[in-house]
Every structure is written in C-alpha cells, then in structure tokens.
Amino acid sequence: MEKKNIDWASIGFGYVKTDKRFVANYKNGAWEEGGLTEDENIVLNECAGVLQYAQTCFEGLKAYTTEDGRTVCFRPDLNAKRMHDTALRLEMPPFPEDKFIEAVKAVVKANEAYVPPYGSGATLYIRPYMFGSNPVIGVKPADEYQFRIFATPVGPYFKGGAKPITITVSDFDRAAPHGTGHIKAGLNYAMSLHAIVTAHNNGFAENMYLDAATRTKVEETGGANFIFVTKDGTVVTPKSDSILPSITRRSIMHVAEHVLGLKVEHREVTFEEVKDFAECGLCGTAAVISPVGKIVYKDGEIAFPAGMEEMGPVTKKLYDTLTGIQMGRLEAPEGWIVEID
Ligand SMILES: *Cc1c(COP(=O)(O)O)cnc(C)c1O
C-alpha cells in the first residue's frame, strides 16, 4: 500500500480530509445498509433534531500499523457496544454492533493510504457518530437518524516524550448523579468547553472533576479517566456511575492484573486520599496514558513523587505494556487486535 506523502510527525490533532467515509440512514423504523461516499459534507434541514436539541453521540478509536506491517484496530467491539448503550440512553436507534465493526473496517480499508507507518507515533483516528436528522420542534426524539464514520490521520500525542502535566480541580461539575456522564454524548462536551477554556486560561492542562453531589470523590477529566498507583504498587481507578467507561482504562486494568501481576482496585476514590498516591495518570484513546505531575486546588497542591520530568515507574510499565500489545510487539489478549484485510 502506497502511503500518502504526509509528514506524520508534525500533523498534530486536527481534521484532515481523507478519501472515503461511511454513511447509513435510519428511516421508517429501520437502518439501511449504508456504504462509503466521497462527500464529506452533510446537508441537513434547519430544524434537524441534532441542531435543536443536541441529539447526537459519538465514539473514537484508532487504526495503526503494527511492527510486522499489519493494519489493525484496537478493540472496536467495545466501541460498538458503548455506542449501542449511549444510543439507548439518548432514545436513538442503536446501529447494529456487527455492522458498526464492518463499517469501521471498510473506512480504514478505503483510507489505508492515510494509516501512518509503524514507528511514526501517528495513527488514523476513527470517528463514528450518529445524530437526529429530521425536523424536530416539539421536544422529542427524532424519527430519522444518520450514522457516519470518518477517519483522519493524527500525529503523535506526545512530541518529545510524555511530560507530566499540571491539572486543576474544576469549580464546575461534569455529570450529575443519574445523568449522562457514563455515555459518549456530544452534550457532555458542549457543557465542558467553558470549564476547559477556564482551566487553560489559568494555566492548567486539564480539569479534575469531582462528584457533583458531594464534591468529595474523584470522577474523571473532560475526556479521560484517572488511574492512580499507591505507594505499594496497587493500581487504583475511580468507580462511579457518572464516569465514562474508558476502553483504555479497562484495558490498562486488565494488563495490570493479568500481564504485570499487579494488584488492582476499581472503587470510589476520595479527593482526600489523592495526596497519598505515588503516581497519577489520565487514560484515553488519544494519549493512552498522560502522566499527571501536579494537581492544584483551592487550598493547595499535590505534587506526585515522580516529578514533572517523567512518568512514574508503574505508569511507564503500564504504558509500555499496553502500547506494546497495540503495536504487536507483545502478545495481545484474545480479540483485542482486529486486523483490516
Ligand atoms: C472517550 C472518553 C474517555 C476515554 O475513553 P477511551 O475509550 O479510553 O478512549 C474518557 N472520558 C470521557 C468523558 C470520554 O468521552
């Protein structure tokens, strides 16, 4: 496969138009087969449900080239399942999970020239999404929907090494108890924009959100879950019904327990105990793990022992093991790596 002439190291995280995208419409109570198109534009009625009442959700995953030259995706079945769950919560008709995976494969295959080569650090980011497309003026679910998947090459997340970031505890809340924090809905991001712009203006890379009801427990950031490491090497990740179930986090916890033989805990984490952890990181598809060096809050700051120059030792081991599995350098658990043929 002849690759596009792109400077993979310097493309950053932005939209680059690729050759083909997948489109399927839902009408009269059923999803049509759908297929690939070259047209990147969407023409919608001015009153479309998505435009009026934000009835939209999305997913995010990556395709990349392994060490032995295969083009693969990482656990797309979990994205299919999560989008199914999200759709139900938003009163949208779920796109069939098997067809979701087929469509992901078709989009990657059709844009294989944009899948960055092994070792470049870049990947092909895949964005499945769905929205209400027919006119809706009274508040109710749309009757018609469009499901689409596009792909765009993105550069290495860490340029010049994964430097720890400084984050802050947000004064805003991300998700209410019994709300929509656990689903990948656009609305969760719309309301996070003011909070992240505020954090950036104050010099912080990310927001740590606490639980909205008591503001005593750690939830997540706007787009990544937390993992912590205790001083005796246990990997801890916060549990809450309003946290988005990150596929990266679930994979890291599996790797920690079953590949590295570490003790793992998925439980409520109070903000009070964060100062006692040895390491802190953010996990999500984009960065895999971003190390957190410091957390600044109203009454002080928490500086983790690994400092601001490098990842903590356990975080690094988790990062190296998961990326090793993804890139085909280490054996993957059954079903994690899906080849594009
Ligand atoms: C997408 C997302 C994550 C990360 O999930 P991955 O499946 O690991 O990419 C974490 N938190 C929120 C709020 C998200 O939207």
PDB file of all heavy atoms in Angstrom, residues 5-37:
ATOM      1  N   ASN A   5       1.906  11.118   1.005  1.00  0.00           N
ATOM      2  CA  ASN A   5       3.129  11.846   1.330  1.00  0.00           C
ATOM      3  C   ASN A   5       2.822  12.900   2.400  1.00  0.00           C
ATOM      4  O   ASN A   5       2.600  14.065   2.111  1.00  0.00           O
ATOM      5  CB  ASN A   5       3.681  12.491   0.056  1.00  0.00           C
ATOM      6  CG  ASN A   5       5.014  13.171   0.312  1.00  0.00           C
ATOM      7  OD1 ASN A   5       5.682  12.888   1.314  1.00  0.00           O
ATOM      8  ND2 ASN A   5       5.387  14.081  -0.562  1.00  0.00           N
ATOM      9  N   ILE A   6       2.770  12.442   3.649  1.00  0.00           N
ATOM     10  CA  ILE A   6       2.417  13.309   4.780  1.00  0.00           C
ATOM     11  C   ILE A   6       3.573  13.275   5.763  1.00  0.00           C
ATOM     12  O   ILE A   6       4.192  12.234   5.979  1.00  0.00           O
ATOM     13  CB  ILE A   6       1.114  12.802   5.462  1.00  0.00           C
ATOM     14  CG1 ILE A   6      -0.083  12.977   4.526  1.00  0.00           C
ATOM     15  CG2 ILE A   6       0.867  13.528   6.788  1.00  0.00           C
ATOM     16  CD1 ILE A   6      -1.395  12.389   5.051  1.00  0.00           C
ATOM     17  N   ASP A   7       3.880  14.434   6.348  1.00  0.00           N
ATOM     18  CA  ASP A   7       4.899  14.491   7.400  1.00  0.00           C
ATOM     19  C   ASP A   7       4.227  14.058   8.707  1.00  0.00           C
ATOM     20  O   ASP A   7       3.684  14.873   9.445  1.00  0.00           O
ATOM     21  CB  ASP A   7       5.455  15.925   7.498  1.00  0.00           C
ATOM     22  CG  ASP A   7       6.498  16.048   8.594  1.00  0.00           C
ATOM     23  OD1 ASP A   7       6.884  15.002   9.184  1.00  0.00           O
ATOM     24  OD2 ASP A   7       6.928  17.185   8.876  1.00  0.00           O
ATOM     25  N   TRP A   8       4.230  12.739   8.948  1.00  0.00           N
ATOM     26  CA  TRP A   8       3.438  12.150  10.040  1.00  0.00           C
ATOM     27  C   TRP A   8       3.775  12.752  11.395  1.00  0.00           C
ATOM     28  O   TRP A   8       2.909  12.864  12.264  1.00  0.00           O
ATOM     29  CB  TRP A   8       3.634  10.631  10.084  1.00  0.00           C
ATOM     30  CG  TRP A   8       3.321   9.953   8.795  1.00  0.00           C
ATOM     31  CD1 TRP A   8       4.202   9.414   7.903  1.00  0.00           C
ATOM     32  CD2 TRP A   8       2.019   9.754   8.208  1.00  0.00           C
ATOM     33  NE1 TRP A   8       3.538   8.890   6.812  1.00  0.00           N
ATOM     34  CE2 TRP A   8       2.201   9.075   6.981  1.00  0.00           C
ATOM     35  CE3 TRP A   8       0.720  10.075   8.612  1.00  0.00           C
ATOM     36  CZ2 TRP A   8       1.136   8.724   6.155  1.00  0.00           C
ATOM     37  CZ3 TRP A   8      -0.332   9.716   7.791  1.00  0.00           C
ATOM     38  CH2 TRP A   8      -0.131   9.056   6.579  1.00  0.00           C
ATOM     39  N   ALA A   9       5.013  13.112  11.590  1.00  0.00           N
ATOM     40  CA  ALA A   9       5.441  13.595  12.915  1.00  0.00           C
ATOM     41  C   ALA A   9       4.835  14.950  13.245  1.00  0.00           C
ATOM     42  O   ALA A   9       4.720  15.307  14.412  1.00  0.00           O
ATOM     43  CB  ALA A   9       6.956  13.674  12.976  1.00  0.00           C
ATOM     44  N   SER A  10       4.432  15.713  12.222  1.00  0.00           N
ATOM     45  CA  SER A  10       4.046  17.105  12.518  1.00  0.00           C
ATOM     46  C   SER A  10       2.584  17.422  12.186  1.00  0.00           C
ATOM     47  O   SER A  10       2.210  18.586  12.089  1.00  0.00           O
ATOM     48  CB  SER A  10       4.977  18.057  11.765  1.00  0.00           C
ATOM     49  OG  SER A  10       4.792  17.885  10.378  1.00  0.00           O
ATOM     50  N   ILE A  11       1.729  16.386  12.031  1.00  0.00           N
ATOM     51  CA  ILE A  11       0.344  16.722  11.654  1.00  0.00           C
ATOM     52  C   ILE A  11      -0.532  17.184  12.821  1.00  0.00           C
ATOM     53  O   ILE A  11      -1.545  17.811  12.610  1.00  0.00           O
ATOM     54  CB  ILE A  11      -0.387  15.578  10.891  1.00  0.00           C
ATOM     55  CG1 ILE A  11      -0.128  14.223  11.533  1.00  0.00           C
ATOM     56  CG2 ILE A  11      -0.025  15.602   9.423  1.00  0.00           C
ATOM     57  CD1 ILE A  11      -0.822  13.081  10.828  1.00  0.00           C
ATOM     58  N   GLY A  12      -0.151  16.870  14.062  1.00  0.00           N
ATOM     59  CA  GLY A  12      -0.953  17.345  15.192  1.00  0.00           C
ATOM     60  C   GLY A  12      -2.290  16.634  15.289  1.00  0.00           C
ATOM     61  O   GLY A  12      -2.502  15.589  14.670  1.00  0.00           O
ATOM     62  N   PHE A  13      -3.212  17.181  16.107  1.00  0.00           N
ATOM     63  CA  PHE A  13      -4.532  16.573  16.269  1.00  0.00           C
ATOM     64  C   PHE A  13      -5.550  17.515  15.649  1.00  0.00           C
ATOM     65  O   PHE A  13      -6.118  18.381  16.302  1.00  0.00           O
ATOM     66  CB  PHE A  13      -4.834  16.335  17.755  1.00  0.00           C
ATOM     67  CG  PHE A  13      -5.950  15.333  17.978  1.00  0.00           C
ATOM     68  CD1 PHE A  13      -5.657  13.990  18.160  1.00  0.00           C
ATOM     69  CD2 PHE A  13      -7.274  15.730  17.986  1.00  0.00           C
ATOM     70  CE1 PHE A  13      -6.680  13.055  18.356  1.00  0.00           C
ATOM     71  CE2 PHE A  13      -8.307  14.801  18.183  1.00  0.00           C
ATOM     72  CZ  PHE A  13      -8.003  13.465  18.367  1.00  0.00           C
ATOM     73  N   GLY A  14      -5.753  17.370  14.341  1.00  0.00           N
ATOM     74  CA  GLY A  14      -6.714  18.221  13.638  1.00  0.00           C
ATOM     75  C   GLY A  14      -7.374  17.409  12.550  1.00  0.00           C
ATOM     76  O   GLY A  14      -6.992  16.265  12.296  1.00  0.00           O
ATOM     77  N   TYR A  15      -8.383  17.990  11.932  1.00  0.00           N
ATOM     78  CA  TYR A  15      -9.104  17.285  10.876  1.00  0.00           C
ATOM     79  C   TYR A  15      -8.350  17.386   9.563  1.00  0.00           C
ATOM     80  O   TYR A  15      -7.996  18.470   9.111  1.00  0.00           O
ATOM     81  CB  TYR A  15     -10.504  17.888  10.731  1.00  0.00           C
ATOM     82  CG  TYR A  15     -11.288  17.340   9.549  1.00  0.00           C
ATOM     83  CD1 TYR A  15     -11.864  16.079   9.600  1.00  0.00           C
ATOM     84  CD2 TYR A  15     -11.445  18.097   8.383  1.00  0.00           C
ATOM     85  CE1 TYR A  15     -12.581  15.574   8.523  1.00  0.00           C
ATOM     86  CE2 TYR A  15     -12.166  17.605   7.302  1.00  0.00           C
ATOM     87  CZ  TYR A  15     -12.731  16.342   7.371  1.00  0.00           C
ATOM     88  OH  TYR A  15     -13.433  15.856   6.310  1.00  0.00           O
ATOM     89  N   VAL A  16      -8.099  16.234   8.979  1.00  0.00           N
ATOM     90  CA  VAL A  16      -7.548  16.159   7.628  1.00  0.00           C
ATOM     91  C   VAL A  16      -8.543  15.342   6.808  1.00  0.00           C
ATOM     92  O   VAL A  16      -8.929  14.239   7.223  1.00  0.00           O
ATOM     93  CB  VAL A  16      -6.175  15.433   7.631  1.00  0.00           C
ATOM     94  CG1 VAL A  16      -5.657  15.245   6.212  1.00  0.00           C
ATOM     95  CG2 VAL A  16      -5.169  16.189   8.491  1.00  0.00           C
ATOM     96  N   LYS A  17      -8.990  15.866   5.718  1.00  0.00           N
ATOM     97  CA  LYS A  17      -9.955  15.128   4.902  1.00  0.00           C
ATOM     98  C   LYS A  17      -9.289  13.901   4.283  1.00  0.00           C
ATOM     99  O   LYS A  17      -8.216  14.006   3.697  1.00  0.00           O
ATOM    100  CB  LYS A  17     -10.501  16.034   3.797  1.00  0.00           C
ATOM    101  CG  LYS A  17     -11.613  15.367   3.017  1.00  0.00           C
ATOM    102  CD  LYS A  17     -11.985  16.157   1.757  1.00  0.00           C
ATOM    103  CE  LYS A  17     -12.781  15.234   0.845  1.00  0.00           C
ATOM    104  NZ  LYS A  17     -12.989  15.830  -0.477  1.00  0.00           N
ATOM    105  N   THR A  18      -9.920  12.749   4.445  1.00  0.00           N
ATOM    106  CA  THR A  18      -9.425  11.532   3.795  1.00  0.00           C
ATOM    107  C   THR A  18     -10.369  11.175   2.635  1.00  0.00           C
ATOM    108  O   THR A  18     -11.316  11.902   2.355  1.00  0.00           O
ATOM    109  CB  THR A  18      -9.304  10.388   4.819  1.00  0.00           C
ATOM    110  OG1 THR A  18     -10.541  10.250   5.504  1.00  0.00           O
ATOM    111  CG2 THR A  18      -8.196  10.671   5.819  1.00  0.00           C
ATOM    112  N   ASP A  19     -10.116  10.038   1.973  1.00  0.00           N
ATOM    113  CA  ASP A  19     -10.813   9.779   0.705  1.00  0.00           C
ATOM    114  C   ASP A  19     -12.279   9.369   0.876  1.00  0.00           C
ATOM    115  O   ASP A  19     -13.145   9.806   0.132  1.00  0.00           O
ATOM    116  CB  ASP A  19     -10.076   8.678  -0.067  1.00  0.00           C
ATOM    117  CG  ASP A  19      -8.680   9.131  -0.483  1.00  0.00           C
ATOM    118  OD1 ASP A  19      -8.432  10.366  -0.489  1.00  0.00           O
ATOM    119  OD2 ASP A  19      -7.833   8.265  -0.782  1.00  0.00           O
ATOM    120  N   LYS A  20     -12.541   8.478   1.843  1.00  0.00           N
ATOM    121  CA  LYS A  20     -13.889   7.893   1.940  1.00  0.00           C
ATOM    122  C   LYS A  20     -14.393   7.900   3.373  1.00  0.00           C
ATOM    123  O   LYS A  20     -13.619   7.805   4.314  1.00  0.00           O
ATOM    124  CB  LYS A  20     -13.849   6.433   1.463  1.00  0.00           C
ATOM    125  CG  LYS A  20     -13.399   6.237   0.016  1.00  0.00           C
ATOM    126  CD  LYS A  20     -14.571   6.313  -0.940  1.00  0.00           C
ATOM    127  CE  LYS A  20     -14.142   6.166  -2.389  1.00  0.00           C
ATOM    128  NZ  LYS A  20     -13.648   4.831  -2.717  1.00  0.00           N
ATOM    129  N   ARG A  21     -15.707   7.976   3.494  1.00  0.00           N
ATOM    130  CA  ARG A  21     -16.369   7.870   4.795  1.00  0.00           C
ATOM    131  C   ARG A  21     -17.629   7.022   4.635  1.00  0.00           C
ATOM    132  O   ARG A  21     -18.147   6.862   3.535  1.00  0.00           O
ATOM    133  CB  ARG A  21     -16.717   9.243   5.399  1.00  0.00           C
ATOM    134  CG  ARG A  21     -17.748  10.065   4.683  1.00  0.00           C
ATOM    135  CD  ARG A  21     -17.175  10.895   3.518  1.00  0.00           C
ATOM    136  NE  ARG A  21     -16.153  11.824   3.942  1.00  0.00           N
ATOM    137  CZ  ARG A  21     -14.897  11.860   3.452  1.00  0.00           C
ATOM    138  NH1 ARG A  21     -14.510  11.075   2.479  1.00  0.00           N
ATOM    139  NH2 ARG A  21     -14.036  12.712   3.893  1.00  0.00           N
ATOM    140  N   PHE A  22     -18.123   6.491   5.758  1.00  0.00           N
ATOM    141  CA  PHE A  22     -19.296   5.605   5.736  1.00  0.00           C
ATOM    142  C   PHE A  22     -20.546   6.387   6.147  1.00  0.00           C
ATOM    143  O   PHE A  22     -20.495   7.194   7.077  1.00  0.00           O
ATOM    144  CB  PHE A  22     -19.087   4.447   6.705  1.00  0.00           C
ATOM    145  CG  PHE A  22     -20.234   3.466   6.753  1.00  0.00           C
ATOM    146  CD1 PHE A  22     -20.312   2.411   5.851  1.00  0.00           C
ATOM    147  CD2 PHE A  22     -21.250   3.614   7.705  1.00  0.00           C
ATOM    148  CE1 PHE A  22     -21.376   1.512   5.901  1.00  0.00           C
ATOM    149  CE2 PHE A  22     -22.312   2.715   7.749  1.00  0.00           C
ATOM    150  CZ  PHE A  22     -22.372   1.664   6.841  1.00  0.00           C
ATOM    151  N   VAL A  23     -21.643   6.150   5.477  1.00  0.00           N
ATOM    152  CA  VAL A  23     -22.925   6.772   5.820  1.00  0.00           C
ATOM    153  C   VAL A  23     -24.042   5.740   5.779  1.00  0.00           C
ATOM    154  O   VAL A  23     -24.139   4.960   4.821  1.00  0.00           O
ATOM    155  CB  VAL A  23     -23.329   7.887   4.817  1.00  0.00           C
ATOM    156  CG1 VAL A  23     -24.584   8.618   5.306  1.00  0.00           C
ATOM    157  CG2 VAL A  23     -22.211   8.877   4.595  1.00  0.00           C
ATOM    158  N   ALA A  24     -24.882   5.717   6.812  1.00  0.00           N
ATOM    159  CA  ALA A  24     -26.110   4.905   6.784  1.00  0.00           C
ATOM    160  C   ALA A  24     -27.233   5.729   7.404  1.00  0.00           C
ATOM    161  O   ALA A  24     -27.012   6.453   8.374  1.00  0.00           O
ATOM    162  CB  ALA A  24     -25.932   3.602   7.561  1.00  0.00           C
ATOM    163  N   ASN A  25     -28.430   5.632   6.837  1.00  0.00           N
ATOM    164  CA  ASN A  25     -29.581   6.386   7.339  1.00  0.00           C
ATOM    165  C   ASN A  25     -30.595   5.461   7.992  1.00  0.00           C
ATOM    166  O   ASN A  25     -30.757   4.304   7.578  1.00  0.00           O
ATOM    167  CB  ASN A  25     -30.254   7.150   6.190  1.00  0.00           C
ATOM    168  CG  ASN A  25     -29.372   8.278   5.696  1.00  0.00           C
ATOM    169  OD1 ASN A  25     -29.021   9.179   6.452  1.00  0.00           O
ATOM    170  ND2 ASN A  25     -28.967   8.209   4.434  1.00  0.00           N
ATOM    171  N   TYR A  26     -31.242   5.997   8.991  1.00  0.00           N
ATOM    172  CA  TYR A  26     -32.330   5.289   9.666  1.00  0.00           C
ATOM    173  C   TYR A  26     -33.627   6.004   9.315  1.00  0.00           C
ATOM    174  O   TYR A  26     -33.766   7.201   9.533  1.00  0.00           O
ATOM    175  CB  TYR A  26     -32.110   5.337  11.177  1.00  0.00           C
ATOM    176  CG  TYR A  26     -33.173   4.653  11.994  1.00  0.00           C
ATOM    177  CD1 TYR A  26     -33.051   3.316  12.338  1.00  0.00           C
ATOM    178  CD2 TYR A  26     -34.290   5.371  12.445  1.00  0.00           C
ATOM    179  CE1 TYR A  26     -34.023   2.690  13.121  1.00  0.00           C
ATOM    180  CE2 TYR A  26     -35.262   4.753  13.216  1.00  0.00           C
ATOM    181  CZ  TYR A  26     -35.128   3.411  13.543  1.00  0.00           C
ATOM    182  OH  TYR A  26     -36.087   2.814  14.312  1.00  0.00           O
ATOM    183  N   LYS A  27     -34.566   5.255   8.757  1.00  0.00           N
ATOM    184  CA  LYS A  27     -35.814   5.832   8.258  1.00  0.00           C
ATOM    185  C   LYS A  27     -36.899   4.778   8.342  1.00  0.00           C
ATOM    186  O   LYS A  27     -36.611   3.592   8.159  1.00  0.00           O
ATOM    187  CB  LYS A  27     -35.598   6.188   6.772  1.00  0.00           C
ATOM    188  CG  LYS A  27     -36.143   7.529   6.358  1.00  0.00           C
ATOM    189  CD  LYS A  27     -35.796   7.819   4.901  1.00  0.00           C
ATOM    190  CE  LYS A  27     -36.381   9.151   4.534  1.00  0.00           C
ATOM    191  NZ  LYS A  27     -35.846   9.666   3.302  1.00  0.00           N
ATOM    192  N   ASN A  28     -38.134   5.196   8.617  1.00  0.00           N
ATOM    193  CA  ASN A  28     -39.264   4.261   8.704  1.00  0.00           C
ATOM    194  C   ASN A  28     -38.953   3.069   9.615  1.00  0.00           C
ATOM    195  O   ASN A  28     -39.270   1.924   9.300  1.00  0.00           O
ATOM    196  CB  ASN A  28     -39.668   3.758   7.309  1.00  0.00           C
ATOM    197  CG  ASN A  28     -40.033   4.904   6.386  1.00  0.00           C
ATOM    198  OD1 ASN A  28     -40.661   5.870   6.820  1.00  0.00           O
ATOM    199  ND2 ASN A  28     -39.602   4.824   5.133  1.00  0.00           N
ATOM    200  N   GLY A  29     -38.251   3.353  10.712  1.00  0.00           N
ATOM    201  CA  GLY A  29     -38.026   2.317  11.713  1.00  0.00           C
ATOM    202  C   GLY A  29     -36.920   1.329  11.421  1.00  0.00           C
ATOM    203  O   GLY A  29     -36.818   0.303  12.094  1.00  0.00           O
ATOM    204  N   ALA A  30     -36.068   1.596  10.422  1.00  0.00           N
ATOM    205  CA  ALA A  30     -35.005   0.625  10.118  1.00  0.00           C
ATOM    206  C   ALA A  30     -33.741   1.314   9.588  1.00  0.00           C
ATOM    207  O   ALA A  30     -33.819   2.363   8.939  1.00  0.00           O
ATOM    208  CB  ALA A  30     -35.503  -0.381   9.082  1.00  0.00           C
ATOM    209  N   TRP A  31     -32.606   0.681   9.892  1.00  0.00           N
ATOM    210  CA  TRP A  31     -31.335   1.155   9.328  1.00  0.00           C
ATOM    211  C   TRP A  31     -31.183   0.613   7.904  1.00  0.00           C
ATOM    212  O   TRP A  31     -31.413  -0.574   7.663  1.00  0.00           O
ATOM    213  CB  TRP A  31     -30.143   0.650  10.159  1.00  0.00           C
ATOM    214  CG  TRP A  31     -29.947   1.421  11.416  1.00  0.00           C
ATOM    215  CD1 TRP A  31     -30.265   1.016  12.687  1.00  0.00           C
ATOM    216  CD2 TRP A  31     -29.410   2.741  11.536  1.00  0.00           C
ATOM    217  NE1 TRP A  31     -29.957   2.014  13.588  1.00  0.00           N
ATOM    218  CE2 TRP A  31     -29.431   3.082  12.907  1.00  0.00           C
ATOM    219  CE3 TRP A  31     -28.910   3.687  10.628  1.00  0.00           C
ATOM    220  CZ2 TRP A  31     -28.972   4.311  13.384  1.00  0.00           C
ATOM    221  CZ3 TRP A  31     -28.460   4.911  11.101  1.00  0.00           C
ATOM    222  CH2 TRP A  31     -28.485   5.217  12.461  1.00  0.00           C
ATOM    223  N   GLU A  32     -30.798   1.458   7.002  1.00  0.00           N
ATOM    224  CA  GLU A  32     -30.454   0.969   5.653  1.00  0.00           C
ATOM    225  C   GLU A  32     -29.040   0.383   5.699  1.00  0.00           C
ATOM    226  O   GLU A  32     -28.320   0.540   6.688  1.00  0.00           O
ATOM    227  CB  GLU A  32     -30.526   2.119   4.645  1.00  0.00           C
ATOM    228  CG  GLU A  32     -29.475   3.185   4.905  1.00  0.00           C
ATOM    229  CD  GLU A  32     -29.421   4.296   3.847  1.00  0.00           C
ATOM    230  OE1 GLU A  32     -30.428   4.482   3.137  1.00  0.00           O
ATOM    231  OE2 GLU A  32     -28.375   4.953   3.757  1.00  0.00           O
ATOM    232  N   GLU A  33     -28.641  -0.323   4.645  1.00  0.00           N
ATOM    233  CA  GLU A  33     -27.309  -0.948   4.581  1.00  0.00           C
ATOM    234  C   GLU A  33     -26.193   0.087   4.753  1.00  0.00           C
ATOM    235  O   GLU A  33     -25.241  -0.116   5.477  1.00  0.00           O
ATOM    236  CB  GLU A  33     -27.119  -1.644   3.229  1.00  0.00           C
ATOM    237  CG  GLU A  33     -27.400  -3.133   3.229  1.00  0.00           C
ATOM    238  CD  GLU A  33     -26.827  -3.896   4.413  1.00  0.00           C
ATOM    239  OE1 GLU A  33     -25.589  -3.962   4.522  1.00  0.00           O
ATOM    240  OE2 GLU A  33     -27.611  -4.421   5.228  1.00  0.00           O
ATOM    241  N   GLY A  34     -26.328   1.184   4.024  1.00  0.00           N
ATOM    242  CA  GLY A  34     -25.289   2.215   4.070  1.00  0.00           C
ATOM    243  C   GLY A  34     -24.104   1.839   3.215  1.00  0.00           C
ATOM    244  O   GLY A  34     -24.030   0.734   2.660  1.00  0.00           O
ATOM    245  N   GLY A  35     -23.166   2.758   3.083  1.00  0.00           N
ATOM    246  CA  GLY A  35     -21.983   2.500   2.265  1.00  0.00           C
ATOM    247  C   GLY A  35     -21.024   3.662   2.301  1.00  0.00           C
ATOM    248  O   GLY A  35     -21.246   4.641   3.020  1.00  0.00           O
ATOM    249  N   LEU A  36     -19.956   3.531   1.526  1.00  0.00           N
ATOM    250  CA  LEU A  36     -18.913   4.559   1.517  1.00  0.00           C
ATOM    251  C   LEU A  36     -19.271   5.672   0.546  1.00  0.00           C
ATOM    252  O   LEU A  36     -19.916   5.441  -0.479  1.00  0.00           O
ATOM    253  CB  LEU A  36     -17.576   3.934   1.118  1.00  0.00           C
ATOM    254  CG  LEU A  36     -17.025   2.886   2.083  1.00  0.00           C
ATOM    255  CD1 LEU A  36     -15.778   2.226   1.493  1.00  0.00           C
ATOM    256  CD2 LEU A  36     -16.708   3.499   3.450  1.00  0.00           C
ATOM    257  N   THR A  37     -18.850   6.892   0.891  1.00  0.00           N
ATOM    258  CA  THR A  37     -19.043   8.024   0.000  1.00  0.00           C
ATOM    259  C   THR A  37     -17.796   8.905   0.033  1.00  0.00           C
ATOM    260  O   THR A  37     -17.021   8.855   0.992  1.00  0.00           O
ATOM    261  CB  THR A  37     -20.284   8.856   0.403  1.00  0.00           C
ATOM    262  OG1 THR A  37     -20.301  10.069  -0.356  1.00  0.00           O
ATOM    263  CG2 THR A  37     -20.266   9.219   1.868  1.00  0.00           C
TER     264      THR A  37
END
